[in-house]
Amino acid sequence: MTLLRDEDLAAAFDHASRSYDTLVAANPGYHAHLRRSARRLGLPRPGTGLRVLDLGCGTGASTAALSAVLPGAEITAVDASAGMLERAARKPWREGVRFVRAPAERLVDAGAEGPFDAVFAAYLFRNVADPDAVLSTVREVLAPQGRLAVHEYTLSGRATHRAVWTGVCRGMVLPVAALLGDGDLYRHLWRSVVDFDTAEVFADRVRAHGFDTVRVLPLPGWQTGITHTIVARRPAGAEDGR
């Protein structure tokens, strides 16, 4: 199948936004894993005075994880889907959380200007047309020594983990999504994981964009070998060349 990209993908997420929270809630550990990845940014709690960018916030699950881990931080949550952002913005949020509609590659044009102390990107990179362009943008908006945490379905490379992912999607996720009229989106989401970088290949991609202290950290439960946190840091210095 052809993967959805750009406006087509945003439109598919718009349509799916009404049931998205219900589907992800059925995923054991979904919200706890996001909080774990947020903690892996390694920022001092409660985060008072820090600016954090939540890139690809969807309906706000990642935003809620960041807010729980860093209750004093200023959080700018960005997504390209109007429908997902509308759902996110309806939820109760503390002061210091704001939402911005923008593609990940055009943050500054939409008013999401750095420098940020950290960028958190959950389930984003496999869905963008040009992950290298997004990594370049992330590096530009990060302050020197700013932290990056990518929470993503990035397979280990082992055949067993790929088989588990495909089995869960075909046996559970895709039938429900088809009943909801969102089959195209969830077929894309299944295939986007299979076709994307493995966790170690993505880590190498991050290093190639000038980040250091790059680590690949597993997540527990059924998602072991399927979902990882990739953490990294922009090096110190204003002119960090690549």
Side-chain angles (χ1 to χ4, degrees):
M1 65 166 288
T2 302
L3 295 177
L4 301 173
R5 293 301 185 206
D6 301 325
E7 291 83 3
D8 291 336
L9 183 57
F13 273 117
D14 287 347
H15 187 269
S17 62
R18 69 202 189 287
S19 58
Y20 190 80
D21 285 344
T22 301
L23 280 174
V24 300
N27 181 345
Y30 183 90
H31 295 287
H33 289 173
L34 285 170
R35 291 190 296 272
R36 183 183 292 233
S37 288
R39 289 193 295 271
R40 286 170 169 175
L41 282 166
L43 297 174
R45 296 191 71 178
T48 303
L50 298 179
R51 299 186 71 224
V52 180
L53 177 65
D54 181 16
L55 193 55
C57 66
T59 59
S62 53
T63 317
L66 286 168
S67 188
V69 172
L70 299 166
E74 175 187 315
I75 299 172
T76 300
V78 176
D79 203 275
S81 165
M84 300 290 268
L85 275 180
E86 182 182 356
R87 292 277 172 176
R90 288 180 189 172
K91 298 174 182 177
W93 298 102
R94 62 168 173 81
E95 186 177 351
V97 177
R98 72 182 183 112
F99 294 89
V100 176
R101 184 185 178 193
E105 302 89 340
R106 298 200 293 274
L107 297 174
V108 176
D109 293 343
E113 296 185 27
F116 292 97
D117 299 288
V119 173
F120 189 73
Y123 307 117
L124 170 78
F125 276 94
R126 74 184 195 283
N127 285 319
V128 298
D130 189 347
D132 290 305
V134 176
L135 278 169
S136 293
T137 298
V138 166
R139 191 175 183 280
E140 288 169 6
V141 301
L142 270 174
Q145 300 192 57
R147 311 290 180 82
L148 168 65
V150 176
H151 176 102
E152 186 59 275
Y153 290 118
T154 46
L155 298 174
S156 69
R158 293 180 59 184
T160 51
H161 295 144
R162 176 177 172 141
V164 169
W165 169 250
T166 295
V168 168
C169 288
R170 289 182 174 172
M172 299 173 60
V173 177
L174 291 176
V176 174
L179 289 174
L180 295 170
D182 294 315
D184 286 347
L185 173 62
Y186 284 89
R187 279 189 294 273
H188 158 87
L189 295 177
W190 159 66
R191 190 73 211 182
S192 69
V193 175
V194 173
D195 289 352
F196 192 56
D197 298 346
T198 63
E200 293 295 342
V201 168
F202 184 75
D204 287 340
R205 190 193 290 267
V206 173
R207 292 185 186 98
H209 282 268
F211 290 90
D212 65 12
T213 62
V214 180
R215 292 183 295 155
V216 176
L217 305 173
L219 287 157
W222 77 270
Q223 295 188 67
T224 299
I226 295 171
T227 311
H228 296 85
T229 320
I230 295 88
V231 294
R233 185 189 66 170
R234 178 181 171 175
E239 303 295 334
D240 301 312
R242 291 192 290 274

